[in-house]
Amino acid sequence: MFGKIIGDALKTTGDALRTTGDVAGSVVNAGGNVIDRATDIGRIGNRKIKGKVILMRSNVLDFNEFHSTVLDGFTELLGSGIVLQLVSATHVDRHSNDPRGKVGRRAYLERWLTSLPPLFAGESVFQINFEWDEEFGYPGAFYIRNGHTSEFFLKSLTLEDVPGYGKVHFDCNSWIYPQRRYNKDRIFFANKTYLPSETPDPLRKYREEELVNLRGNGKGERQEWDRIYDYDVYNDIADPDGGDKLVRPILGGSDYPYPRRGRTGRPRTRRDPNSESRLKSVIGLNIYVPRDENFGHLKMGDFLGYALKALSSNIKPGLQTIFDLTPCEFDKFKELYNLYEGGFPIPPNVFKTFTDGLTAPMFKELLRTDGERFLRFPVPQVIKDNKSGWRTDQEFAREMIAGVNPILIRRLQHFPPLSKLDPKVYGNQNSTITEEQIKNGLEGLTVNEAIKENKLYILDHHDALMPYLKKINSTSTKSYATRTLLFLKADGTLKPLVIELSLPHPQGDEHGAISKLYFPAENGVEGSIWQLAKAYVAVNDAGYHQLICHWLHTHAVLEPFVIATHRQLSVLHPIHKLLVPHYKDTMFINAFARQTLVNADGLLESTHFQSKYAMELSSYVYKEWNFLEQALPADLIKRGVAIQDSSSSHGVKLLIEDYPFAVDGLEIWSTIKNWVAAYCSLYYKDDNAIQNDIELQSWWKEAREKGHADKKDEPWWPKMHTIAELVESCTIIIWIASALHAAVNFGQYPYGGFMPNRPTLSRRFMPEVGSKEYKELESNPEKAFLKTINSQMQCLLGMSLIEILSRHASDEVYLGQRASLEWTADKDAINAFEKFGEEVHGVEQRIMERNVNINLKNRTGPANVPYTLLIPSSTEGLTGRGIPNSISI
């Protein structure tokens, strides 16, 4: 069938090609004069440069219409509908006083090259011929106009043999809308690299004007064809018009500091003129971001984008309907195991709620249904080999250094643990743990000896949560602020010593905290209580991980750099070329998150213990964010788990030697930094070149003063006066976008897909002795445990969410790779990048070797889950490994 479609399309194309000479008719030349195309070409008699244009039509994006795409006449793209004109980088028009480069004659797509297979499905290759003469010189840019009624995706233009220059390539990767949508013609530059001061004079104005176009004027509502990058506060996560329960503070400003997000300019709400109205539907994923920041067609086609939409608009309300009708609980862990083996039953009367608006392939993929049961989940790695390994104290502690959130544990340097909260406001918040209570776990050491020998560590969620805990517990959540003390054993593993659960004082914050201590136990009701204590820690950690370590510290803090880069660094700039691959899809996934995930009553509020205070709490934590501390070595030193050591390979020595995240991460960090240093050295010979780069200085100033406006006066910002500052800053940005995000994202389902291992909320407090809850804990500990953590609905919704977030798309580009082999014409940069790719591969091999080293007990642990989250490569899907270049899901 598909072969016949192709054959028919080829026949149609052949018919069209025989009439190409008649298509153009008369056209307007670059000077605005009407000429006869055939006559003029014959009269000029100049040489022609052959070129290839690769593009993709817009309706390839709709997988329902894919087959019709082929039939839909590639021939309509031929003729005069799409016009290209080369721009000289070496010659100006001698008949004009304009210093801009000379603009060549119009050229048109002439032939569909069916013999050249496209790189990806849906792409088409066309031949084009440009007139050229000796007075034109090097083509450094080209204009393109789209005379059709719909947009298309322009991937590249390659000129085959430009006299004196050879092959010239233009990497475009941009949507071209009909010409009426633009105030200026679209322009693309050849893949050369120039600092602003080195830009050829004929290209200088084009370079400057393109940046002005991308900045916009800060007014009006943005439309899908706009290419404007601008800033705004988080005034779009609430929905005041939807009632008081959907009111949330605006984030960004003195009261609630926050990174800025991309501006959409949507109308304000009726009830609050400072809040932006929300989209009523996410059908078509039509949230504004500059069009080239949207998901690519492959990511749409493999359901990731649609899965998020369906989760919000179909699955969540469908589950709500079920549980409103028949509220029920998981009673045994076996019922959870059944979700991986048999799925979840759907009452026939609510089945339609799940399926409205879903196409057949979406329905099949997302719900995995046989018509009676759905949401049959893949088995998470944490229970795949050992269904009880997650319950052990060793696995509980191991996941703090080799789990999905291995970036919070720190060395204890003062005993008992101290609080940094203001005692005038919060009273005494210091820990109540005493040496007498933990001495039996110190293997013969005193507390002071253990601290001196770097043996005591802490997972401390107390200070971050206590100021908000009273508010949080006023919702359906019943949670604690937790501290967990751990001891580093001789075999390199950690063991928990004590868990402290704290609540605000009922008489007021100024009276301090009410704390209780829980100690390891394996059997009887004490063992059940200890399991619950670990669950309360996991709830804190899962919520803090999702909203702070994941959302705030990767997604949100990076977006200002994405915006500033496009507004201030030309595509010709070397730092633009360095950073842009690490921005792919980030603005779009963030915009989508504001619509369905982090919004009022969104998926994260519905599934995490912070509830409606989630984003407000993330603003509170952002106050402590420091750009320089995002560098992995600086972070490890700050947390006391490493010390500076110039004799060590990465400049730091780990105090927990078998710390999988840190060991693998330092190798990745150093590899990225070496690449950035090598690349930057190609363009900046000294610090003066940094200081005199007007685009670079504007970029850094704007990222600080507009993108992170609430922290613009912090003294720790690099001044961007030296090559070292540039290298460190770019390394941090790339680290956040790639390895840090991979470390905290793609392990969510492997570790948290079995909810008892990482519950995200708690619905009741620790049972008191003598209560009916305590008696239930004694008689039926599994049931009591499951009634404390996520409900059935919250569990199913949360598992659905993190399964989607943990998947790799089919179009993912991983660290050490580029989407285009011709991203630059600079051979030295290409060679440096190839070396980077080789070093990344070397890191991967060494990680694999460490994972089979039986002496490194933290690499796998009791659950037998090897630490693979920082292995750079991956295949599509749910793999628990892979470092994509960018934050793309």
Side-chain angles (χ1 to χ4, degrees):
M1 174 64 184
F2 191 71
K4 183 179 186 302
I5 293 172
I6 291 286
D8 292 345
L10 288 172
K11 180 179 184 300
T12 307
T13 303
D15 295 341
L17 292 177
R18 287 190 288 274
T19 60
T20 298
D22 301 326
V23 173
S26 58
V27 296
V28 182
N29 69 8
N33 301 311
V34 178
I35 60 172
D36 180 82
R37 185 177 176 209
T39 304
D40 189 67
I41 290 172
R43 179 173 57 79
I44 298 297
N46 289 331
R47 294 184 60 175
K48 289 191 176 183
I49 302 172
K50 284 187 177 181
K52 286 187 302 187
V53 174
I54 300 179
L55 56 78
M56 183 179 68
R57 294 163 51 82
S58 62
N59 60 350
V60 171
L61 288 183
D62 189 341
F63 52 80
N64 287 322
E65 298 179 8
F66 176 74
H67 294 291
S68 68
T69 300
V70 183
L71 274 178
D72 205 6
F74 290 100
T75 55
E76 74 174 48
L77 299 174
L78 302 172
S80 59
I82 298 174
V83 183
L84 287 78
Q85 290 178 278
L86 296 178
V87 177
S88 175
T90 53
H91 293 69
V92 298
D93 189 340
R94 64 187 180 187
H95 301 299
S96 170
N97 294 324
D98 195 331
R100 291 174 176 80
K102 182 178 181 180
V103 179
R105 293 187 176 275
R106 298 182 176 206
Y108 310 86
L109 303 187
E110 295 185 10
R111 190 156 60 95
W112 181 27
L113 300 177
T114 56
S115 61
L116 293 177
L119 294 177
F120 295 103
E123 293 177 354
S124 305
V125 185
F126 292 88
Q127 181 177 309
I128 190 168
N129 291 307
F130 293 93
E131 295 179 39
W132 187 88
D133 60 50
E134 296 293 339
E135 295 182 357
F136 193 83
Y138 179 75
F142 72 90
Y143 279 125
I144 185 168
R145 301 180 189 89
N146 177 5
H148 294 291
T149 58
S150 62
E151 71 274 18
F152 61 86
F153 184 78
L154 178 65
K155 184 173 184 180
S156 65
L157 165 66
T158 304
L159 305 179
E160 300 296 343
D161 190 13
V162 179
Y165 302 100
K167 186 170 82 167
V168 178
H169 182 78
F170 301 80
D171 236 19
C172 305
N173 297 308
S174 184
W175 286 96
I176 310 298
Y177 275 77
Q179 189 59 30
R180 61 190 172 85
R181 299 299 190 188
Y182 299 125
N183 295 323
K184 302 263 187 181
D185 288 346
R186 293 295 309 276
I187 191 169
F188 293 92
F189 296 92
N191 63 347
K192 288 260 191 178
T193 304
Y194 304 104
L195 292 177
S197 61
E198 298 169 350
T199 309
D201 286 340
L203 288 184
R204 199 176 296 274
K205 283 287 186 182
Y206 293 115
R207 176 177 185 151
E208 294 169 357
E209 287 174 354
E210 177 67 353
L211 284 175
V212 171
N213 289 340
L214 291 170
R215 292 175 200 143
N217 61 10
K219 299 177 181 178
E221 182 175 0
R222 300 273 64 89
Q223 304 299 323
E224 68 169 272
W225 49 84
D226 286 336
R227 304 168 54 239
I228 293 172
Y229 295 80
D230 205 354
Y231 304 94
D232 209 341
V233 295
Y234 277 63
N235 63 349
D236 62 338
I237 56 175
D239 186 8
D241 293 344
D244 292 344
K245 69 174 185 174
L246 298 179
V247 172
R248 302 289 184 274
I250 292 170
L251 305 184
S254 57
D255 291 337
Y256 298 97
Y258 220 65
R260 299 306 190 256
R261 50 98 175 177
R263 179 184 178 277
T264 67
R266 291 199 299 267
R268 301 304 172 99
T269 62
R270 296 189 308 276
R271 290 185 60 186
D272 180 7
N274 294 317
S275 292
E276 187 173 274
S277 60
R278 293 184 53 75
L279 296 175
K280 298 307 178 189
S281 169
V282 291
I283 292 174
L285 307 173
N286 56 347
I287 306 158
Y288 174 76
V289 291
R291 185 63 177 89
D292 295 338
E293 303 298 326
N294 212 318
F295 273 3
H297 73 291
L298 291 176
K299 183 167 288 187
M300 292 291 197
D302 63 17
F303 299 102
L304 283 180
Y306 283 98
L308 286 170
K309 185 196 85 70
L311 191 58
S312 171
S313 59
N314 292 73
I315 296 177
K316 183 184 175 186
L319 288 172
Q320 187 67 61
T321 301
I322 290 176
F323 292 110
D324 284 348
L325 292 172
T326 56
C328 52
E329 300 279 355
F330 291 122
D331 290 335
K332 300 176 182 177
F333 291 146
K334 188 177 187 308
E335 294 176 9
L336 278 163
Y337 298 142
N338 288 340
L339 294 176
Y340 316 112
E341 297 158 6
F344 187 79
I346 307 177
N349 56 331
V350 296
F351 192 77
K352 190 175 185 298
T353 308
F354 289 95
T355 58
D356 275 351
L358 294 185
T359 63
M362 285 170 60
F363 177 73
K364 180 180 177 182
E365 172 71 13
L366 295 175
L367 303 185
R368 301 191 192 91
T369 182
D370 57 9
E372 295 179 357
R373 303 177 74 84
F374 87 130
L375 295 177
R376 190 178 299 117
F377 294 92
V379 180
Q381 282 177 275
V382 76
I383 59 166
K384 201 165 194 175
D385 285 353
N386 183 347
K387 287 186 176 180
S388 61
W390 66 274
R391 302 185 70 162
T392 65
D393 289 355
Q394 184 182 338
E395 181 64 21
F396 171 70
R398 186 191 81 93
E399 290 184 20
M400 299 179 195
I401 55 175
V404 71
N405 195 27
I407 56 178
L408 291 182
I409 189 172
R410 59 181 176 86
R411 182 165 54 95
L412 190 67
Q413 300 181 56
H414 187 281
F415 186 88
L418 300 176
S419 171
K420 294 181 180 179
L421 295 175
D422 185 351
K424 295 178 182 177
V425 178
Y426 296 104
N428 181 7
Q429 294 287 337
N430 295 333
S431 174
T432 61
I433 302 169
T434 66
E435 181 168 1
E436 182 68 24
Q437 293 165 324
I438 63 170
K439 67 178 183 179
N440 291 338
L442 300 182
E443 299 185 357
L445 299 177
T446 66
V447 164
N448 285 338
E449 288 170 339
I451 288 176
K452 189 175 181 180
E453 294 182 24
N454 304 317
K455 295 285 190 181
L456 283 179
Y457 294 83
I458 184 170
L459 182 68
D460 192 347
H461 289 293
H462 185 279
D463 283 6
L465 300 179
M466 184 57 77
Y468 272 83
L469 199 53
K470 186 176 290 184
K471 289 182 179 179
I472 290 170
N473 284 341
S474 70
T475 69
S476 59
T477 290
K478 298 295 176 279
S479 195
Y480 298 93
T482 67
R483 292 185 177 107
T484 306
L485 258 59
L486 305 109
F487 182 79
L488 181 63
K489 296 165 62 177
D491 65 359
T493 63
L494 292 163
K495 69 174 181 181
L497 298 172
V498 59
I499 290 172
E500 183 175 45
L501 304 182
S502 301
L503 289 170
H505 199 287
Q507 295 178 8
D509 291 345
E510 67 277 10
H511 294 283
I514 301 294
S515 300
K516 289 189 177 182
L517 304 179
Y518 298 89
F519 301 93
E522 293 185 9
N523 302 312
V525 70
E526 291 81 8
S528 300
I529 285 173
W530 175 243
Q531 288 296 333
L532 275 180
K534 290 193 291 184
Y536 289 117
V537 173
V539 167
N540 274 189
D541 198 62
Y544 192 94
H545 158 261
Q546 192 66 272
L547 270 298
I548 309 301
C549 301
H550 181 205
W551 165 256
L552 175 64
H553 285 169
T554 65
H555 286 258
V557 300
L558 196 75
E559 187 162 355
F561 294 104
V562 180
I563 299 169
T565 298
H566 286 285
R567 285 169 56 89
Q568 300 297 340
L569 295 179
S570 164
V571 294
L572 293 166
H573 198 287
I575 302 305
H576 185 284
K577 292 184 188 297
L578 173 70
L579 294 179
V580 155
H582 303 286
Y583 297 156
K584 176 178 176 284
D585 294 342
T586 302
M587 285 190 72
F588 178 75
I589 197 63
N590 284 4
F592 198 79
R594 295 194 307 273
Q595 181 67 25
T596 64
L597 299 180
V598 300
N599 58 300
D601 198 34
L603 292 169
L604 290 187
E605 284 193 3
S606 302
T607 56
H608 287 74
F609 81 93
Q610 299 98 320
S611 187
K612 67 180 183 179
Y613 298 102
M615 289 293 280
E616 186 179 337
L617 177 58
S618 73
S619 166
Y620 171 74
V621 176
Y622 174 65
K623 294 175 183 177
E624 302 300 317
W625 183 78
N626 179 324
F627 175 74
L628 287 177
E629 289 174 353
Q630 307 313 299
L632 180 60
D635 169 60
L636 296 172
I637 290 169
K638 178 188 177 185
R639 291 190 284 121
V641 294
I643 55 174
Q644 286 185 320
D645 181 2
S646 58
S647 64
S648 296
S649 55
H650 308 291
V652 297
K653 177 183 177 182
L654 290 172
L655 300 180
I656 305 175
E657 292 183 11
D658 183 13
Y659 186 166
F661 163 75
V663 172
D664 298 355
L666 283 170
E667 284 209 56
I668 295 289
W669 167 269
S670 295
T671 302
I672 294 171
K673 190 167 185 178
N674 290 341
W675 148 241
V676 173
Y679 180 81
C680 290
S681 71
L682 299 175
Y683 304 100
Y684 298 99
K685 302 309 178 187
D686 54 37
D687 293 342
N688 286 333
I690 298 287
Q691 296 163 27
N692 294 329
D693 185 335
I694 57 172
E695 286 185 9
L696 187 75
Q697 294 303 320
S698 297
W699 167 66
W700 195 244
K701 177 181 172 66
E702 185 170 289
R704 287 192 333 267
E705 296 183 0
K706 290 188 176 181
H708 285 279
D710 301 325
K711 301 188 79 68
K712 65 181 179 181
D713 297 322
E714 297 283 2
W716 41 254
W717 282 108
K719 304 298 183 188
M720 203 54 72
H721 288 169
T722 66
I723 294 174
E725 287 179 321
L726 174 64
V727 169
E728 185 76 359
S729 298
C730 290
T731 304
I732 290 171
I733 290 170
I734 294 172
W735 164 259
I736 292 171
S738 58
L740 181 59
H741 180 259
V744 298
N745 183 70
F746 294 104
Q748 291 191 77
Y749 191 81
Y751 288 100
F754 182 65
M755 199 59 70
N757 185 51
R758 283 187 70 77
T760 58
L761 49 81
S762 46
R763 295 177 287 153
R764 61 187 192 182
F765 292 122
M766 184 72 81
E768 298 288 343
V769 176
S771 66
K772 65 176 183 179
E773 290 82 7
Y774 191 89
K775 291 176 181 176
E776 182 180 54
L777 190 65
E778 288 181 303
S779 62
N780 194 341
E782 283 192 10
K783 183 174 184 179
F785 184 96
L786 292 169
K787 285 173 73 171
T788 300
I789 64 168
N790 304 51
S791 68
Q792 268 199 1
M793 175 182 167
Q794 292 160 338
C795 182
L796 293 168
L797 196 58
M799 289 166 65
S800 300
L801 174 62
I802 62 174
E803 186 197 347
I804 295 166
L805 297 183
S806 301
R807 286 184 174 274
H808 290 295
S810 57
D811 68 344
E812 207 68 85
V813 182
Y814 297 92
L815 195 67
Q817 303 173 349
R818 289 264 176 159
S820 169
L821 298 177
E822 297 181 274
W823 60 276
T824 179
D826 190 331
K827 293 292 188 285
D828 289 336
I830 292 289
N831 291 337
F833 186 74
E834 287 179 354
K835 182 181 179 183
F836 172 52
E838 291 168 1
E839 291 180 359
V840 168
H841 180 70
V843 172
E844 178 164 320
Q845 296 304 308
R846 292 190 291 277
I847 293 174
M848 304 280 267
E849 291 167 6
R850 285 193 286 271
N851 278 348
V852 295
N853 185 338
I854 60 174
N855 295 317
L856 301 176
K857 297 184 183 301
N858 295 325
R859 298 300 306 192
T860 54
N864 196 24
V865 183
Y867 188 71
T868 57
L869 292 174
L870 289 178
I871 290 179
S873 72
S874 180
T875 54
E876 176 186 354
L878 196 64
T879 64
R881 60 179 283 177
I883 304 177
N885 272 332
S886 62
I887 299 170
S888 58
I889 190 65

